[in-house]
């Protein structure tokens, strides 16, 4: 008679790791998309039932999200979604402004026809998303547009830094999603492309800097009117 062998410690570890990854990805998306609001309580018992797992992978997932700055864990008080820190937004915008402005200046010197064709196509897709009031679709196209620019420079470390800064800003930027902001973004993106097409590094640099500065100003206005979402607003 055959007997089932108990799972090995290694196979159990792999199962826990897979469950943890799944929970991290689901919770990260829910937090970044604001489906779970800043300050919301994350109840472990509720999460174990939702994901059909034990408490261990839930605890591991929350610890990983804490390391990403998305979750606060306090002994005896439980876990909550981290409030947004305006100071972090300023720092990450500073990084993006410096690197992306210099990137488009470099691209303006190169005036690569293939890149300009891709950028023009992206702009048409953005316009179509605005006309369809596809806010999530426009948000995704916005991310692709900026990645297209930074990737074209060809510096992997620069792209990694910008990507990290962008990820930390995703919640902040989603707070500003609106038809008016998307229309303004479209105009700002077009100005960047036209400066690259004209081979004008100074104008391209200024257009990107103005684009990022405008978003940061709108974040500050939002923080003034919705201080409950921010950890460093009284």
């Amino acid at each position: 008679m055959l007997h089932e062998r108990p799972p090995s410690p290694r196979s159990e570890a792999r199962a826990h790791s897979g469950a943890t990854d799944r929970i991290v990805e689901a919770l990260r998306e829910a937090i970044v998309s604001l489906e779970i609001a800043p300050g919301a309580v994350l109840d472990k018992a509720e999460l174990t039932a939702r994901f059909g797992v034990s408490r261990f992978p839930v605890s591991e997932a929350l610890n990983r999200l804490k390391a990403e700055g998305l979750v606060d864990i306090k002994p005896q008080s439980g876990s909550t979604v981290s409030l947004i820190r305006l100071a972090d937004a300023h720092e990450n915008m500073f990084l993006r402004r410096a690197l992306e402005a210099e990137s488009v200046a470099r691209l303006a010197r190169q005036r690569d026809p293939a890149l300009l064709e891709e950028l023009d196509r992206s702009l048409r897709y953005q316009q179509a998303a605005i006309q369809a009031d596809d806010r999530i679709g426009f948000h995704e196209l916005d991310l692709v547009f900026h990645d297209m620019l930074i990737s074209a420079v060809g510096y992997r470390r620069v792209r990694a830094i910008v990507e990290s800064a962008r990820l930390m800003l995703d919640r902040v930027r989603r707070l500003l999603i609106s038809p008016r902001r998307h229309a303004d973004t479209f105009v700002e993106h077009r100005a960047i492309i036209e400066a690259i097409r004209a081979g004008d590094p100074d104008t391209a640099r200024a257009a990107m800097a103005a684009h990022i500065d405008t978003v940061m100003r709108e974040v500050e206005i939002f923080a003034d009117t919705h201080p409950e979402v921010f950890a460093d607003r009284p």
Side-chain angles (χ1 to χ4, degrees):
M1 180 178 179
L2 295 174
H3 297 280
E4 288 189 7
R5 296 173 61 185
S8 69
R10 183 176 295 178
S11 64
E12 286 187 337
R14 280 199 300 267
H16 281 313
S17 177
T20 299
D21 291 343
R22 178 166 55 90
I23 297 166
V24 167
E25 289 176 12
L27 288 180
R28 184 192 291 120
E29 174 58 26
I31 291 169
V32 168
S33 68
L34 304 175
E35 178 187 335
I36 305 178
V41 174
L42 296 169
D43 183 79
K44 282 188 179 180
E46 186 178 306
L47 292 173
T48 58
R50 172 181 169 183
F51 291 103
V53 296
S54 66
R55 292 176 68 89
F56 178 75
V58 169
S59 297
E60 287 293 300
L62 293 176
N63 281 324
R64 280 168 55 178
L65 291 168
K66 178 185 177 183
E68 294 179 18
L70 294 175
V71 169
D72 290 330
I73 301 175
K74 297 180 181 178
Q76 314 304 323
S77 300
S79 304
T80 57
V81 175
S82 300
L83 296 176
I84 296 168
R85 293 186 72 251
L86 199 58
D88 290 341
H90 274 289
E91 182 175 0
N92 286 298
M93 284 292 194
F94 181 88
L95 285 168
R96 286 192 59 188
R97 188 185 194 276
L99 294 174
E100 293 193 52
E102 286 307 311
S103 293
V104 294
R106 184 186 184 94
L107 297 176
R109 296 187 191 98
Q110 297 171 344
R111 299 177 68 188
D112 178 21
L115 174 62
L116 284 165
E117 186 177 341
E118 286 185 36
L119 293 172
D120 287 338
R121 185 182 303 113
S122 173
L123 208 60
R124 290 195 296 272
Y125 291 159
Q126 291 173 44
Q127 187 171 39
I130 291 172
Q131 291 170 347
D133 195 24
D134 182 1
R135 303 185 187 188
I136 300 303
F138 185 91
H139 178 75
E140 293 300 321
L141 289 167
D142 183 16
L143 300 181
V144 171
F145 175 80
H146 282 270
D147 186 62
M148 196 182 302
L149 291 169
I150 205 72
S151 296
V153 176
Y155 293 146
R156 286 181 297 174
R157 282 187 297 171
V158 170
R159 183 172 182 257
I161 292 169
V162 171
E163 176 71 4
S164 176
R166 184 196 64 74
L167 286 172
M168 296 300 290
L169 286 164
D170 229 14
R171 276 199 300 170
V172 175
R173 294 176 68 254
R174 293 201 192 209
L175 292 172
L176 304 179
I177 286 179
S178 71
R180 194 270 313 157
R181 179 62 243 160
H182 288 168
D184 289 348
T185 296
F186 175 81
V187 172
E188 292 156 11
H189 285 177
R190 186 170 58 192
I192 294 166
I193 294 173
E194 290 311 312
I196 295 172
R197 194 189 318 278
D200 188 339
D202 291 338
T203 300
R205 183 187 294 111
M208 178 60 81
H211 173 45
I212 291 177
D213 287 347
T214 297
V215 174
M216 192 64 236
R217 280 196 299 273
E218 295 199 7
V219 171
E220 290 169 344
I221 292 169
F222 188 94
D224 287 338
T225 55
H226 298 82
E228 71 281 358
V229 176
F230 294 83
D232 45 0
R233 267 291 191 267

